[in-house]
Amino acid sequence: MDKQPLGIELVKKGIVTESNIQQALDYQKEHPRKKIGDILNILGLCDSYVLIKAIGEILEEKAIYLTDADIKITPTDFISLDLIKQNKAIPFEIGAGKIKVCFADTSNKRSIDVVRLLLLNKGLIMEKYITFESNIDKLIDSFEGSASEEINANADISGLVDTIIKSAIEKRASDIHIEPQEDSVRVRYRIDGRLFSAVQIDKDKQSQLIGRLKAISNMHQEKQESQDGRILLYPEYNIRVSSQRNVYGEKFVLRLLKKNANIKRIFELGFPEDEELVKNSFNKRNSITVVAAPTGEGKTTTLYSIIDYLNNPHINITTIEDPVEIRIDGLNQIEIDAKESFSDALRTVLRQDPDIILVGEIRDKETAEIAMQAGQTGHYVLSTIHTIDSIEVITRLRKIGISNYDIASILATSVSQRLVRRICPHCAKERDFSEKEIEIINKIGEKYNVKFDLKGKKTYEAVGCKHCNQSGYLDRIGIFEILNINDEIKELISNNSSSMEIRKAALELGYKPLIVDGIYKVLSGVTTLEELNNKLVIY
């Protein structure tokens, strides 16, 4: 027979009363994501150890009231903190080839399978346990280090905001998310492209926190509509601030931009180590080069590296940006504002005798047309555009309204890229590729006519340590694809051929898509197949 609801089963066992269950149901109306068992524990309506044991018996699962004392291993040695948080799963004991793992929800088969397979790759058989979600959450907070304690230790609101920002800088965060929730204010840091929880701030500090952020960002205190501002209190950083109202208050995102960051050489970013390829792709006149990728994938950084590669005292380089993220000696850098568009600034720049023009982004037909005109009149133009790959740059320019003739005659190179996380060198564990991984790599090689050499190659397991914020990854590297527009491609563009036809021809001419460069970086031990799949979905 089917089991009764958990509450009824607990009443039958004499663990709680019907009145207790009603209290839990009333609480659940206000907190619909909480489960009855967790609520009974939160409300203290039953002894926690007795309750979790009974829940285990009802669900036919091994159960434990998990505490620090029960954890005999370092959980992040076996799965990353990121996965612990995603799956609400904590490894806590190991022996005889088996590893005990506690879950907040043993009915979530996807989470169970993710953790089981990961541990199986490490040669360990998983033994599954259940505990309260609140136990898991408390333990995760303790794994995240001292940032939470340090932030909450600040009694005054100025010190609180200062500690949030300084802690983010220390942890190499690119963004800070300050998000009002129902019962608290959540602070998260984006590190190497992923969001990590930093701290939960008491709800009663929310209005003061928002007031302080508006004050130092030069925003209107009274306005609750979306606003943009800047924080200039940190000498080495230009911090852009955006606010937006949500159902629990106003959310803030702070973008941390280092003012005088060192520009990496194009090869350091992950571009193929081929000097001839760089010269052929970026050292041109009477043309335009476009770097394409979704938001947050490092397009601007690549543009800066290209500009740095081309920069010398004999040429006039002008950039038009929104905003100027890195200041470079020898360049004329223009920052546009609300009163001026990219197209307005570009018209003026063309009267300033430039050799190379960097346009931060092609957003509309007007900017695209002027950029094309600049390319036709002897200049070299660099810009970015939002598309999924280098072939789709052609489609995007067509949709903006640029003619096939102009695209074919002016577009010289389109580059597409993604950022993948580098395996952390401090904690990575070397292992052999699994049969499944070898099969995936070989299939990709067959599809794109590339012979990947797997002989003697090893891969790495992302573990997690203090250096990488327990994620198993430290910093990011680009994966690239380069489409140089040769005569055959020009003819296809002029004939209005579809992107599918252009892609087929490009592949025959030696074009290699992003995934190929990604696999090379997996084989060189820079990243993992799992990370590559997270970015490109290859299996």
Side-chain angles (χ1 to χ4, degrees), residues 210-455:
I210 288 171
R212 177 61 181 167
L213 285 167
K214 286 183 175 180
I216 63 175
S217 305
N218 199 27
M219 290 180 173
H220 294 288
Q221 288 286 349
E222 299 78 15
K223 281 179 67 175
Q224 293 192 346
E225 295 86 4
S226 302
Q227 296 186 67
D228 292 314
R230 287 190 185 183
I231 297 173
L232 303 173
L233 300 177
Y234 301 85
E236 294 186 4
Y237 285 84
N238 176 9
I239 302 176
R240 291 160 55 189
V241 184
S242 171
S243 74
Q244 186 173 47
R245 186 172 175 80
N246 70 17
V247 293
Y248 297 119
E250 289 175 85
K251 175 184 174 176
F252 284 74
V253 175
L254 284 61
R255 168 64 58 89
L256 307 179
L257 299 169
K258 200 163 187 179
K259 287 180 181 175
N260 297 306
N262 292 326
I263 299 170
K264 292 183 178 179
R265 292 177 63 244
I266 188 74
F267 302 124
E268 291 179 88
L269 299 179
F271 201 85
E273 286 270 3
D274 186 338
E275 191 77 36
E276 198 62 33
L277 176 63
V278 172
K279 285 180 181 177
N280 290 338
S281 300
F282 304 128
N283 197 9
K284 300 184 178 183
R285 292 184 67 83
N286 300 298
S287 63
I288 183 168
T289 289
V290 178
V291 179
T295 301
E297 295 293 342
K299 298 186 296 295
T300 303
T301 303
T302 298
L303 281 185
Y304 278 132
S305 292
I306 297 168
I307 286 290
D308 188 57
Y309 174 82
L310 298 172
N311 192 15
N312 72 63
H314 307 296
I315 59 174
N316 177 13
I317 301 177
T318 301
T319 76
I320 305 168
E321 305 171 67
D322 179 21
V324 172
E325 294 189 10
I326 301 175
R327 298 184 182 188
I328 306 172
D329 287 340
L331 268 59
N332 301 292
Q333 294 178 274
I334 299 165
E335 185 166 277
I336 65 169
D337 55 31
K339 298 175 185 176
E340 189 176 36
S341 66
F342 276 114
S343 54
D344 293 332
L346 186 50
R347 282 193 188 92
T348 305
V349 165
L350 287 173
R351 297 193 289 271
Q352 294 283 311
D353 187 31
D355 295 298
I356 297 174
I357 306 168
L358 184 154
V359 182
E361 184 183 341
I362 293 177
R363 296 177 177 174
D364 51 43
K365 182 180 180 182
E366 190 176 15
T367 306
E369 284 179 336
I370 300 168
M372 290 286 176
Q373 178 192 333
Q376 288 169 330
T377 53
H379 307 92
Y380 179 43
V381 181
L382 289 152
S383 192
T384 70
I385 202 165
H386 288 90
T387 66
I388 58 170
D389 63 28
S390 54
I391 305 284
E392 289 303 319
V393 167
I394 298 161
T395 306
R396 178 76 179 125
L397 289 171
R398 283 170 170 170
K399 286 186 176 179
I400 284 175
I402 305 302
S403 71
N404 283 323
Y405 171 80
D406 284 340
I407 297 170
S409 60
I410 305 303
L411 182 63
T413 307
S414 64
V415 177
S416 185
Q417 67 181 71
R418 295 291 188 280
L419 294 177
V420 294
R421 294 179 297 170
R422 290 176 180 265
I423 197 76
C424 176
H426 303 286
C427 61
K429 287 191 175 180
E430 190 180 76
R431 65 169 175 83
D432 293 326
F433 282 99
S434 68
E435 288 185 13
K436 177 69 173 174
E437 288 170 330
I438 291 169
E439 182 186 343
I440 290 165
I441 291 168
N442 285 334
K443 277 186 178 178
I444 291 167
E446 289 170 16
K447 183 174 180 179
Y448 297 112
N449 196 28
V450 179
K451 182 67 177 174
F452 293 116
D453 182 11
L454 285 155
K455 189 176 181 181

Side-chain angles (χ1 to χ4, degrees), residues 73 78 91-95 97-101 119 124-129:
I73 56 177
F78 298 92
F92 64 96
E93 193 174 327
I94 191 170
K98 291 186 177 181
I99 185 165
K100 296 178 180 178
V101 181
L119 293 170
L124 296 167
I125 296 169
M126 187 181 82
E127 198 174 330
K128 180 178 55 166
Y129 283 74

